[in-house]
Amino acid sequence: MDALCDLCLAQVCCSLDALCSRRADGSMCLSRAPVFPQEVADQLLLKMVKKKILNDTTIRIFQNCKELRLRRASIRCCQVSAQAFRLALCPHRLQELDASGVLGGLTVANIVSGLASNPACRSSLRRLSLAGLRVDWESLEEDGGPCVGFSSLQGLRTLNLANTDLTDAVLEDICTLPRLESLDISCSAVSKLTALLDCKNTLRSLTTHRLQQLDMSPGRMLFVLGQLHAVRHFDFSEDHLAVNAGDGRDGMETVRQLLDGSPQVLPSLVSLDISGRRRIPEAAVRVFVEARGALVFLGLLATGASSCDILSSKRNLKVTGEANENQVCEALRRYRDRECFIREALVHLYNLTADIDKPRPDMLELVLSGMQSHPTSLQVHLVATACVFNLTTQDLAVTMPVGLISSAVAQLLYAMKTYPNHQQVQKNCMMALCSDYILQDVPFDKYLAATLVINWLRSHEDAPLQRMAVAVISILVAKLSTEETAQLGKDVFIMKNNIAEVEVLQADLMEEDLLGHVLSLLQDSRVEQGVRYFAGGTLAQLVSRPEAWTLGSQLRSTIVEQLHASIMTWTQLEREMVSYRSFRPFCPLLQAWQPSGVQLWAAWAIHLVCIQNASHYSNMMEKDGVAELLRALAAHPDTHSDVKGLSDGILRIVEQHQSL
């Protein structure tokens, strides 16, 4: 039933234009909207977010809050303005809202004032996530708007303000909320935590990762923590990659005193995260764990203490660290949104999976999740792509769910596209793609893959990787439709280094299915002529070296015959299709002993560029010795008349230019 609902909502998203009318301001409104079940309305909004179609225009379908009633709304990372937010979402009796990372200038102040404008929301809203936004209360004061704060949302229980410019003054307002249970103020501008004493009876979860401006002595910190009797989870972790060795002394001392101190400090604590706090003594960890019998989680990644022997004896205790597989996987699960920890965990996972011999789809899912969460992080993708290779190499991918492998390939292609000039990322991706099972049996965007691999070949000269890339292409090209191949010709094949010209790669192209496919492109008159031209060039290069030909003689004879016959049907192109820096690769093709089809392709290619830019190519012909070869062909008694005629035509162009 869930799958059917998902398919229906996907169809609604695809058909939104047809299902909607337009208001005077251009925003959308469902033309004939039935009353949606409340949960389905939430799911529709989420589906629009995932499909990346939620914006100021489309979000306004939820302005009709009688038929589309929202309770749990997510507009995470979408482009939504303050006005569209107020019109579309604020009239609803929301219980949860995730507006983290929203683009379009929407601020914390806009959201809080908008929600507070609905009396129902003031009491109904329980969860609010605004991570990554500007607070900007000043803008409301400048606009003469009502002075409201978080304290106006009296029903709020969970609040996430990580990565914001949250100040001490705003924190004081937040801490007056009568039901506040969970607070995340990580990476904010808060310098004092004393305000937390105002919610000490209700606060159960406190996350304070990377508070760079925190200005409290260890003694003062322990005094505040000592009064937070209800707190069960405390996150005091640090970004170990950003902190210098001499920084964070107060934080380290606070951690040391917390670990060594009395269980009366945070007496309800069952979960503590101090990952990234370097040089934590194992002895302090042992004391802490022994004193906290109810502990269920301890974050120790990048602390140097995750190998403490007592940790393995606690069956119900989950730990993030690097001592073993369970700790590393737990880190990848828990720290999805923290790049510093994802990078650290992936490095350890790579080492753990270097010699893996059993399929681990669970690990692969964690790696892909990390890549998806940090699409702009080169360091994450550098290590993650290597992990993908480790986890899918040999026959490991065969027994995993096909959908999971498809997702893995999609992430590899994203990495290739995003980091085209990073050789190690490209190498990792190429090695992972170079799998018969993946290339033959797994569904993915093969056109995109072929484009990326060929583009890589254009600009790199690493021979082992070139062979690998050609092996990948030899399978991918045969999987493309005629239309895709034609488009590929327009987008990519027009390059200055035809891969068939590289002798070291020619052996890798000796695949009968591949050459049969290229031959079909050459012969098919429906295929765009540029594609046929490059198909002919590939074939001409391969048959020009009989000593390197490893396939049947009949196939070579057929290719030679069809080269000649097909080229004679080509019309002269008016537009510039290709350019050459040198004619030297053509010299072997213009030898008198070459088959006429090979000679004809080379002569046709030279004639094409000469008639379009005679001044540029006439000098190149003399310099590279091509003019001399053409004169020899024209004079040779065994040269085919078609080749002679084209050679004479090229030489006339050269002579005419030289006489000017």
Side-chain angles (χ1 to χ4, degrees), residues 251-511:
M252 286 299 302
E253 181 60 20
T254 299
V255 170
R256 189 193 66 76
Q257 292 187 24
L258 177 61
L259 294 176
D260 290 339
S262 166
Q264 296 309 308
V265 176
L266 299 174
S268 301
L269 196 70
V270 296
S271 171
L272 174 66
D273 199 336
I274 50 174
S275 289
R277 299 284 181 180
R278 296 184 287 194
R279 299 186 303 278
I280 290 178
E282 289 188 9
V285 171
R286 187 178 298 107
V287 168
F288 181 79
V289 173
E290 287 175 342
R292 307 272 181 163
L295 202 65
V296 296
F297 171 71
L298 187 58
L300 293 174
L301 183 68
T303 62
S306 63
S307 297
C308 184
D309 52 7
I310 196 173
L311 300 175
S312 58
S313 67
K314 300 291 184 179
R315 292 186 177 181
N316 296 326
L317 179 62
K318 292 187 176 180
V319 179
T320 58
E322 54 274 344
N324 55 52
E325 173 189 303
N326 289 338
Q327 291 185 4
V328 172
C329 289
E330 188 66 27
L332 288 170
R333 269 189 291 271
R334 287 189 179 252
Y335 299 137
R336 177 175 175 173
D337 294 330
R338 293 184 184 170
E339 180 187 351
C340 60
F341 294 157
I342 288 293
R343 286 171 57 181
E344 183 78 15
L346 284 172
V347 169
H348 294 292
L349 185 71
Y350 172 76
N351 294 328
L352 284 170
T353 57
D355 299 313
I356 194 168
D357 57 0
K358 294 181 180 178
R360 291 298 303 267
D362 57 326
M363 285 185 175
L364 184 57
E365 286 180 356
L366 291 172
V367 173
L368 300 183
S369 175
M371 296 173 79
Q372 291 161 357
S373 297
H374 303 281
T376 60
S377 170
L378 169 60
Q379 293 304 318
V380 166
H381 281 76
L382 177 60
V383 188
T385 51
C387 290
V388 171
F389 170 70
N390 281 357
L391 291 165
T392 59
T393 190
Q394 306 298 335
D395 294 326
L396 295 176
V398 176
T399 58
M400 293 192 198
V402 174
L404 178 61
I405 303 300
S406 290
S407 297
V409 175
Q411 287 301 132
L412 292 173
L413 298 181
Y414 173 84
M416 291 183 73
K417 185 176 180 180
T418 307
Y419 308 105
N421 299 317
H422 196 285
Q423 181 151 334
Q424 191 60 50
V425 170
Q426 296 292 319
K427 181 177 180 179
N428 294 346
C429 296
M430 208 80 73
M431 290 170 63
L433 286 175
C434 198
S435 156
D436 282 343
Y437 169 69
I438 289 176
L439 294 173
Q440 298 282 8
D441 299 331
V442 175
F444 62 92
D445 189 340
K446 293 180 172 62
Y447 173 78
L448 174 60
T451 304
L452 292 171
V453 174
I454 293 177
N455 272 329
W456 183 88
L457 272 171
R458 294 175 65 180
S459 53
H460 294 79
E461 297 181 357
D462 184 303
L465 277 185
Q466 284 183 327
R467 291 192 184 95
M468 198 180 301
V470 170
V472 170
I473 291 170
S474 68
I475 296 176
L476 288 177
V477 171
K479 299 282 185 181
L480 301 181
S481 66
T482 301
E483 293 76 14
E484 287 175 324
T485 306
Q487 187 62 43
L488 191 68
K490 293 177 183 176
D491 292 347
V492 179
F493 281 174
I494 302 173
M495 60 179 68
K496 297 174 181 177
N497 176 20
N498 188 311
I499 59 174
E501 295 171 4
V502 185
E503 289 189 8
V504 73
L505 299 180
Q506 290 179 355
D508 298 294
L509 291 171
M510 292 293 174
E511 294 281 346

Side-chain angles (χ1 to χ4, degrees), residues 187-204:
C187 303
S188 69
V190 167
S191 65
K192 306 289 183 186
L193 298 181
T194 312
L196 296 173
L197 298 176
D198 290 336
C199 56
K200 64 182 181 181
N201 294 323
T202 61
L203 193 64
R204 288 175 167 76

